[in-house]
Amino acid sequence: MKIDLTSAIRLTPGDLQQAQAALRTLKTGTGAGSEFTGWTTLPQTTGTEEFRRICQLGKKLYEEADALIVIGIGGSYMGARSAIELLKTPYHNQRKGNGPAIYFLGNGICAEDIRTVLQLVEGTDYYVNVISKSGTTLEPALAFRVLKQELQTRLGKEEAARHIICTTDKARGALKTLADAEGYECFVIPDDVGGRYSVLTAVGLLPMAAAGIDIRQVMEGAAAGMKEFFAEEDSNPALLYSAARIALYRTGKKIEIFSYQGEKMRSFAEWYKQLFGESEGKELGGIFPASCQLTADLHSLGQYIQEGERILMESIVRFEKTGCELVIPKDDDDLDGLNYTAGKTFDDAFLAAAQGVKKAHADGGVPVMELIFDRPDEWNLGYMTAFYEVSCAVSSYMRDINPFNQPGVEAYKKNMFTLLGKYR
Ligand code: PA5
């Protein structure tokens, strides 16, 4: 990958030294929440029995299932969704001969979402993968209760059990109890891996494999990334990125906009927002993660970015090669006046837009970092995962924040449970 910080900030040796110290804290397990750093070694788990089972079941689902409904919220679905949309496009479900359609439920409380997906899968051979580390999160638990009953009514209890797969804690939680009682196949979310860092466990890997994604390649890219981003050299992009964003934060840039190209990166931006928002937003501080699709959102948010409050920094994330070439045709009449673009590709046009944005925003007082990954493939997905996970932990440790807890999300749950009568 390449990282360009020039129009954002000139880093001082002190900024980099702080990032290096934070990285050492992560590596030596001496920081807050160090009992949740198992994600750093997940890429080395491809020889395990669990990984073999994920590959085997993923292949079966890819070959035999008509649809897979993934039930989970937050870290228990965003990684899988972002991987599938990035590698298989957001239109995966409309493509024939590409494995099962993949739907996501339990990521909110909305009857219509459930009803619509149930209508879409009606009469087909669909499977359910319910994912919850705690096994007690209300949103997925409610969706699963409905889906389980639906499957049992249609197939009978025994056959329904063969269509349900649980990804949860190895021993604790209501979901594990239920899975054991009903005899569902189970995959484990390790104790030392928190939800938003769990994409390289069965949480992300099983839905990916079911969609036909080569998860060995994902793990290889992640392994290469972990190695590169754990190096304490000044050229380490994760150190440069973390040092830059925290230095900018200290000058009053409180919001980071993750700017990306095209629909296929939309869910990846959502994954990034969860990873950084839940990790860094603590003790009344932290960078607020936002996102902007280039160029769609320039026609909505663009005005604010250019001339609104100067509290923004931006990271433009793009690929060197998109792998999809489309040449702009010449038109003999040229009534739309676009022949000046004829012969160029859409990638050429996007590059011009991205460079235009970079200059305009930087000139307007929004520091811009540019992160360029090679191409949107399996290997790079793993590599990008490693990049953002390491950067997030390093950035958090630079501010003495525990990157692995989320005490703030309990507040709404308490109120909701009280209103629903849980504590009566
Ligand atoms: O990062 C996290 O820990 C959270 O986003 C969780 O993944 C999310 O709240 C879902 O939790 P669970 O997997 O326990 O249902």
Side-chain angles (χ1 to χ4, degrees):
M1 74 172 286
K2 292 183 203 140
I3 180 161
D4 179 9
L5 304 176
T6 45
S7 67
I9 195 160
R10 214 169 283 283
L11 286 177
T12 66
D15 293 326
L16 261 177
Q17 279 157 13
Q18 263 195 42
Q20 279 157 337
L23 179 61
R24 272 195 296 280
T25 304
L26 173 66
K27 281 170 35 173
T28 53
T30 47
S34 61
E35 64 279 23
F36 289 106
T37 50
W39 53 273
T40 60
T41 53
L42 287 173
Q44 289 142 35
T45 57
T46 54
T48 60
E49 173 60 12
E50 176 95 349
F51 190 82
R52 194 196 59 74
R53 285 176 55 234
I54 294 170
C55 293
Q56 195 181 37
L57 181 59
K59 187 166 179 288
K60 175 182 138 92
L61 293 171
Y62 180 74
E63 286 168 358
E64 294 174 16
D66 292 325
L68 175 68
I69 302 176
V70 179
I71 299 182
I73 195 166
S76 286
Y77 95 104
M78 281 191 171
R81 183 173 206 156
S82 70
I84 292 166
E85 292 189 5
L86 178 63
L87 301 174
K88 296 284 171 184
T89 86
Y91 311 106
H92 169 76
N93 289 358
Q94 282 83 55
R95 284 175 155 176
K96 295 282 164 261
N98 257 289
I102 314 273
Y103 299 101
F104 295 92
L105 285 180
N107 49 28
I109 304 178
C110 177
E112 195 176 353
D113 288 349
I114 296 179
R115 285 230 180 279
T116 305
V117 170
L118 280 174
Q119 276 164 8
L120 288 168
V121 298
E122 200 179 339
T124 70
D125 188 27
Y126 69 88
Y127 287 69
V128 171
N129 180 197
V130 53
I131 309 173
S132 176
K133 185 174 184 195
S134 62
T136 55
T137 307
L138 185 72
E139 293 89 336
L142 287 180
F144 181 54
R145 179 179 272 219
V146 174
L147 270 281
K148 179 173 63 102
Q149 289 196 358
E150 192 70 24
L151 272 172
Q152 287 179 344
T153 309
R154 249 194 45 193
L155 304 174
K157 228 174 162 196
E158 243 173 64
E159 193 51 30
R162 280 194 277 275
H163 282 71
I164 294 172
I165 307 131
C166 288
T167 307
T168 187
D169 188 87
K170 67 176 185 307
R172 280 169 307 205
L175 183 56
K176 179 64 183 159
T177 311
L178 178 64
D180 287 347
E182 303 275 2
Y184 303 146
E185 174 152 18
C186 283
F187 291 89
V188 172
I189 310 173
D191 286 344
D192 56 1
V193 179
R196 60 192 172 276
Y197 293 82
S198 68
V199 58
L200 300 178
T201 69
V203 170
L205 296 176
L206 182 62
M208 280 190 231
I213 290 171
D214 181 348
I215 58 173
R216 264 182 204 284
Q217 276 297 311
V218 173
M219 294 297 245
E220 271 181 32
M226 290 294 178
K227 191 161 172 236
E228 181 179 341
F229 307 132
F230 263 43
E232 285 176 40
E233 273 116 58
D234 289 359
S235 57
N236 174 345
L239 288 181
L240 290 166
Y241 175 57
S242 307
R245 56 198 298 287
I246 297 302
L248 289 167
Y249 176 67
R250 289 180 178 144
T251 66
K253 304 300 180 190
K254 295 187 187 291
I255 298 174
E256 179 180 3
I257 308 172
F258 177 105
S259 293
Y260 61 93
Q261 178 187 14
E263 281 300 305
K264 64 195 289 170
M265 276 289 276
R266 182 186 288 278
S267 285
F268 191 88
E270 295 303 313
W271 175 81
Y272 147 87
K273 277 153 61 173
Q274 189 213 352
L275 179 65
F276 280 79
E278 260 191 343
S279 299
E280 289 190 297
K282 285 166 201 160
E283 299 179 20
L284 304 181
I287 299 168
F288 183 85
S291 62
C292 168
Q293 185 177 330
L294 299 177
T295 59
D297 291 333
L298 295 179
H299 297 260
S300 58
L301 299 174
Q303 173 61 33
Y304 189 101
I305 299 171
Q306 195 68 45
E307 295 183 354
E309 288 261 9
R310 302 298 73 193
I311 50 173
L312 307 175
M313 66 176 100
E314 182 174 20
S315 51
I316 296 181
V317 181
R318 65 180 179 85
F319 294 102
E320 188 85 57
K321 310 171 201 86
T322 59
C324 183
E325 195 178 275
L326 181 56
V327 178
I328 302 165
K330 186 168 178 296
D331 187 302
D332 287 344
D333 299 327
D334 196 26
L335 292 177
D336 54 9
L338 288 177
N339 269 354
Y340 69 96
T341 63
K344 294 188 171 74
T345 65
F346 270 70
D347 285 349
D348 295 331
F350 178 75
L351 197 58
Q355 297 313 318
V357 164
K358 192 173 165 183
K359 186 169 175 351
H361 289 177
D363 290 349
V366 178
V368 183
M369 304 170 262
E370 196 175 10
L371 310 178
I372 308 165
F373 295 95
D374 189 38
R375 63 181 77 215
D377 63 8
E378 272 100 337
W379 192 95
N380 278 282
L381 172 79
Y383 181 85
M384 287 160 72
T385 301
F387 173 76
Y388 282 106
E389 288 181 345
V390 173
S391 300
C392 183
V394 168
S395 298
S396 304
Y397 280 148
M398 286 181 77
R399 289 185 41 248
D400 279 330
I401 292 293
N402 179 346
F404 309 117
N405 65 359
Q406 54 284 328
V409 299
E410 293 310 314
Y412 98 90
K413 290 186 191 169
K414 240 174 99 185
N415 296 342
M416 173 179 73
F417 286 137
T418 305
L419 290 167
L420 285 172
K422 181 174 180 174
Y423 305 120
R424 265 203 291 270

